[in-house]
Amino acid sequence: MSKKYASSDKYTGLQKIADQLSTEGKKMNHSTVRNHLLRGFTKIAKVVLEYHEYEGDIDARAKELAKSPDFHEYMYDVMHQLEREKKINNQHTNT
């Protein structure tokens, strides 16, 4: 696994997030956004590992998972699924 956090595509995505947050009054750069995301992903990974009764060093494994492109893709898919469900639920309540 690569030790690098971001390719140019990921940097662009992080920069877009940073720009949006800055526009909303939350001063951030791409590194700060990356660090916040990794901390959040680490917390999620830790809960998943605990749920599955992982028997190794949970903190180290959670940090490793949080950096994984596969984990990022999974989280992206989960968040987009939740957004789709939210839109569907809003359509049903508005009709």
Side-chain angles (χ1 to χ4, degrees):
M1 179 166 75
S2 172
K3 294 291 182 186
K4 291 186 177 182
Y5 287 109
S7 68
S8 61
D9 290 341
K10 289 180 186 174
Y11 168 81
T12 302
L14 293 172
Q15 189 60 52
K16 285 180 183 178
I17 295 168
D19 291 345
Q20 179 63 36
L21 290 170
S22 293
T23 299
E24 294 174 5
K26 299 172 181 111
K27 191 76 171 161
M28 294 223 181
N29 62 36
H30 73 282
S31 294
T32 305
V33 170
R34 181 193 68 226
N35 291 336
H36 280 281
L37 285 172
L38 288 177
R39 278 197 300 272
F41 285 171
T42 298
K43 289 177 183 180
I44 293 167
K46 187 173 179 178
V47 170
V48 170
L49 291 168
E50 288 170 347
Y51 176 81
H52 289 285
E53 299 176 356
Y54 182 76
E55 294 189 10
D57 183 346
I58 287 180
D59 291 330
R61 183 67 178 130
K63 286 179 184 178
E64 182 182 331
L65 284 172
K67 294 176 186 177
S68 164
D70 290 336
F71 189 80
H72 296 180
E73 187 174 336
Y74 172 75
M75 292 305 302
Y76 176 87
D77 291 343
V78 167
M79 289 185 279
H80 277 81
Q81 178 63 32
L82 291 172
E83 282 298 314
R84 284 190 294 273
E85 290 173 8
K86 184 177 176 182
K87 287 179 184 176
I88 290 169
N89 288 336
N90 286 340
Q91 289 173 351
H92 289 296
T93 55
N94 292 334
T95 57

